[in-house]
Amino acid sequence: MLLKSIQRNSFGVIFLVLIAIGLVWTNTLLGNFPTYRFLFDSFPMPLYKPIADFLGKHQLWSNLLSLFLFLISGFYLLNLNTKHIITKSRNYFPLIFFLFFSAAFIPIQRLNPGIFSLPFILLSIDHLLSIYQKQNALDNIFRAGLSIGIATLFYPSAVVVAVWAVIALLVLRAFRPREMFVLFVSFTVPWLLYMSYLFIINDDIWAPYHTLIVNLFTEQKSDVDQLLPILFFSFMAITLWVSILNVFPRLTFQKIVIRRYFSVLLYLMLIGVASFLLIPGITYDFFYIISIPTAYILSSYFNEAKSNFWNELLLWLPILGAVLIQIILII
């Protein structure tokens, strides 16, 4: 049974996970799927633009780089679970759910600013989770804000994470104006440095801000089939809803730190979903960010789930959804 095998945390599981990643990305690496265009292709942020210009004509190398960043982010996700003990068991569930929730959707299996921002967002989450009951947390807060600021210079939608960071700070610690000020200042540091560079070379210092606004609030007319994400996430939503209904009532019996960790993760997921639905410029590449809290919530449920027919079915649903998308696009 797949559920019991993953719970055992055996070496064979990571081997199967790597095979699954290879299968999910194979057609993209071979160039069998069309390259879907998004608004960031026309209005790239300043840190993403030189990368896109350099690799834009080399599809294979750009896809390989995207896969590499995806793998780095996935294993960083596992490391965060080990470091902060977010879930009780140390296994590969977070990586598996991260894989099927984000990269299984073909249109974002390409060079895109979302995947470049992902390591910086994970770094900010790492620093924010480290501040709970820490006497002097200013260093971690500064690094978290700095990471989010850098992420937004790659990917405009990452500004949503800055809103979440304020909420996370309030959940994890008592309100301290100085810490809020440090978070805000550190977020603006990368922007101020880049705007200073533009000032020195006599360029428009407000250009990155205008690019950010255009990317966030321009309605995108993507050539992506609108039915595909609905189909896939209908599979994922059932498993996620069952996990939320089971995980959060059980948190009453967990340590306070675990309850607060899952609270901030739930806020990140809810803010991410609301932003995807309400902000016109946020599209499917934002699933990389939403997949982070989703992976931990699903992992917490399946770590303690009994190996029976219904739990096996819930585990297979997102996998089947991902496979179905591959088949539809090939046909």
Side-chain angles (χ1 to χ4, degrees), residues 212-225:
L212 178 82
I213 297 301
V214 168
N215 276 278
L216 286 178
F217 298 107
T218 301
E219 187 73 41
Q220 298 202 38
K221 294 182 179 180
S222 175
D223 52 2
V224 178
D225 186 347

Side-chain angles (χ1 to χ4, degrees), residues 184-203:
F184 172 76
V185 169
S186 60
F187 171 78
T188 61
V189 165
W191 281 80
L192 292 175
L193 289 175
Y194 184 72
M195 293 170 76
S196 299
Y197 163 75
L198 293 177
F199 178 78
I200 292 172
I201 64 174
N202 198 27
D203 204 344

Side-chain angles (χ1 to χ4, degrees), residues 240-309:
L240 181 58
W241 183 245
V242 172
S243 300
I244 290 174
L245 291 179
N246 282 271
V247 168
F248 284 88
R250 291 203 307 259
L251 290 178
T252 307
F253 307 100
Q254 299 286 336
K255 295 180 180 179
I256 296 177
V257 62
I258 301 300
R259 297 206 295 267
R260 296 198 179 186
Y261 282 172
F262 272 93
S263 294
V264 298
L265 288 172
L266 182 62
Y267 278 123
L268 179 57
M269 188 186 74
L270 294 177
I271 291 172
V273 171
S275 300
F276 175 75
L277 294 175
L278 299 176
I279 300 178
I282 293 183
T283 56
Y284 307 111
D285 46 295
F286 198 69
F287 293 156
Y288 282 118
I289 296 176
I290 299 176
S291 67
I292 298 171
T294 302
Y296 288 126
I297 293 171
L298 292 172
S299 298
S300 181
Y301 171 71
F302 283 104
N303 278 332
E304 300 183 27
K306 295 181 180 179
S307 182
N308 56 39
F309 171 79

Side-chain angles (χ1 to χ4, degrees), residues 2-3 6 32 67 77 83 86 95 97 146 240 275 296 317:
L2 182 61
L3 176 58
I6 300 175
N32 293 338
L67 176 58
L77 202 73
K83 179 179 178 180
I86 300 171
L95 178 60
F97 290 119
L146 190 68
L240 181 58
S275 300
Y296 288 126
L317 279 177

